[in-house]
Amino acid sequence: MGDLTYTNSMMNEIRELLLNARQHVAVQVNTELLSTYWNVGRIIVEHEQENKERADYGKQTLKQLSKDLTKEFGKGFSVSNLQFMRRFYQNYQIQQTVSVKLSWSHYCELLTISDADKRSFYEKESINSGWSIRELKRQISTSLYERLLLSEGKTNKETVLALAEKGIEMATPLDIIKDPYVFEFLGVPENKPMLESDLEKALVAQIEKFLLELGRGFMFVGTQQRITLNNTHYYVDMVFYNKILRAYVLIELKTTKLMPEAAGQLNMYLNYYAAEINDEHDNPPIGIILCTDKDSVAAEYALGGLSNNIFASRYVSYIPNKEQLVAQVEAVLNEWNKPE
């Protein structure tokens, strides 16, 4: 009994030590990240002000800056993220007004709000209530600010606020440490979502093998490639680059029947790649949706802004046709569903 008490005592002391250390590291990293991105925004704004006479200066320069920074420092410097840094400085020109209690994800979400009073309200509530980024998004989407404005009298406003905070989710040091923005800032590999099942892993392996063995210029970029749009993180299941076409090929796996919204989402990814990832010599990316529902295996193309005529004349010689792709999916499903 004595040994057990002694062990529990040590465990409690070490636990407290580790939790305090993680808290300290998270705060330090977050403070440095916010300070650095504020200063990046300051540099961008100051250079733009010096070049006002050039109407296209801002857009073109940010795109080139994004490519140069990404080449040297890795992810984290997409055009959209640089635009957030610029807006960050423009809205918080006194650096001391930035709260280190909030993460970069919080500020990116807040900066999507154009109304200064509304933004200030959500910022103060996030700080005072310790909202996680997920909770901040929930409160904005449920129009807490507008509901409070419409509430007549102090009692009603307190009631609305109390009801809103029933679902409160407090931010923790782990929220900051696991934030994809922090992984980018530190230059360490991100903890990507895992493929959901062994079947998905088998499909990815089969499609990769098939495309690389076609001998038509395919190079595998990777799985679960992150795209951040409006401060929301998405992951493309598979990304290839075709060096003959000079085009990215994005592949999404769907384990349910093919729904119209799947094409809409993939086209959103294609627009991102065209704007953020493509260089000046790249052609428009294309997308492929593979529906792996065993009763309705299907393959569909998403062309982004590419016309059907250009796709037919330029791409079809190198991109496998739907029948070939469906056959690959069916081969994996047949193997998977084979009786033991």
Side-chain angles (χ1 to χ4, degrees):
M1 188 69 180
D3 287 345
L4 185 59
T5 305
Y6 184 63
T7 303
N8 286 341
S9 174
M10 280 199 302
M11 182 64 192
N12 289 336
E13 283 188 54
I14 293 170
R15 180 186 292 113
E16 186 177 355
L17 183 70
L18 290 172
L19 291 174
N20 286 338
R22 285 185 177 181
Q23 169 80 34
H24 181 70
V25 167
V27 170
Q28 286 294 106
V29 169
N30 190 53
T31 301
E32 288 296 328
L33 187 155
L34 292 175
S35 175
T36 301
Y37 285 178
W38 183 89
N39 276 296
V40 171
R42 175 185 58 78
I43 292 167
I44 291 170
V45 169
E46 288 175 354
H47 277 262
E48 285 179 343
Q49 287 171 345
E50 291 173 6
N51 292 271
K52 279 182 179 175
E53 69 280 1
R54 290 168 58 187
D56 65 340
Y57 177 82
K59 187 176 180 182
Q60 293 303 320
T61 303
L62 276 193
K63 193 156 189 178
Q64 186 57 50
L65 184 63
S66 170
K67 290 185 183 303
D68 292 344
L69 287 170
T70 300
K71 187 175 180 180
E72 187 165 345
F73 295 101
K75 292 182 177 179
F77 298 99
S78 64
V79 172
S80 55
N81 210 23
L82 290 173
Q83 286 171 335
F84 271 128
M85 293 176 204
R86 178 173 61 190
R87 211 180 306 167
F88 188 42
Y89 172 75
Q90 288 170 331
N91 284 276
Y92 299 90
Q93 292 196 14
I94 301 172
Q95 191 174 4
Q96 287 71 23
T97 60
V98 173
S99 174
V100 295
K101 290 184 178 179
L102 300 182
S103 69
W104 178 241
S105 284
H106 284 91
Y107 276 109
C108 287
E109 194 66 29
L110 290 167
L111 289 166
T112 63
I113 303 171
S114 56
D115 184 299
D117 291 335
K118 181 177 175 180
R119 184 172 61 247
S120 177
F121 165 78
Y122 283 113
E123 182 181 3
K124 287 172 183 172
E125 282 299 318
S126 296
I127 293 167
N128 295 336
S129 301
W131 287 348
S132 67
I133 180 60
R134 185 174 165 186
E135 181 65 15
L136 170 60
K137 287 183 176 185
R138 187 182 76 82
Q139 298 289 10
I140 293 172
S141 68
T142 56
S143 306
L144 174 60
Y145 177 73
E146 288 78 7
R147 285 185 288 131
L148 285 172
L149 282 183
L150 293 171
S151 297
E152 294 181 7
K154 183 180 177 183
T155 306
N156 284 342
K157 287 189 176 181
E158 286 175 351
T159 303
V160 172
L161 203 54
L163 286 172
E165 293 188 348
K166 275 191 173 178
I168 198 166
E169 181 185 346
M170 303 296 280
T172 67
L174 200 59
D175 292 332
I176 295 172
I177 290 172
K178 293 175 76 174
D179 191 321
Y181 287 130
V182 173
F183 285 106
E184 287 178 338
F185 179 68
L186 294 175
V188 297
E190 177 185 350
N191 282 339
K192 297 178 183 178
M194 300 297 290
L195 292 168
E196 290 180 11
S197 67
D198 290 337
L199 173 57
E200 282 186 338
K201 291 175 189 171
L203 284 163
V204 165
Q206 180 72 9
I207 298 301
E208 179 188 354
K209 181 171 179 285
F210 168 64
L211 290 180
L212 295 182
E213 287 181 353
L214 268 181
R216 296 181 190 167
F218 278 96
M219 298 185 294
F220 190 41
V221 175
T223 60
Q224 300 296 293
Q225 297 296 293
R226 180 162 65 82
I227 284 174
T228 300
L229 293 162
N230 296 322
N231 201 34
T232 300
H233 305 300
Y234 304 91
Y235 293 84
V236 187
D237 289 330
M238 303 181 76
V239 177
F240 291 84
Y241 184 79
N242 189 290
K243 60 187 178 184
I244 300 172
L245 291 171
R246 293 197 65 88
Y248 286 96
V249 179
L250 281 57
I251 299 179
E252 280 285 277
L253 302 175
K254 298 295 177 188
T255 54
T256 56
K257 289 184 179 180
L258 199 56
M259 304 298 283
E261 54 266 29
Q265 185 176 37
L266 186 49
N267 273 306
M268 181 175 73
Y269 297 166
L270 294 176
N271 290 337
Y272 177 90
Y273 262 72
E276 297 270 2
I277 308 297
N278 272 14
D279 67 28
E280 58 189 296
H281 304 296
D282 286 332
N283 288 308
I286 67 155
I288 300 172
I289 306 169
L290 296 180
C291 169
T292 62
D293 181 79
K294 60 180 172 46
D295 297 321
S296 57
V297 177
E300 290 295 335
Y301 294 110
L303 305 182
L306 196 67
S307 73
N308 285 318
N309 287 339
I310 291 177
F311 178 74
S313 63
R314 193 180 301 169
Y315 284 64
V316 291
S317 300
Y318 304 101
I319 301 293
N321 60 41
K322 293 179 184 179
E323 290 74 20
Q324 288 176 299
L325 291 167
V326 166
Q328 297 304 312
V329 174
E330 286 178 335
V332 174
L333 292 176
N334 290 338
E335 184 67 29
W336 198 257
N337 296 317
K338 191 188 294 181
E340 294 288 333

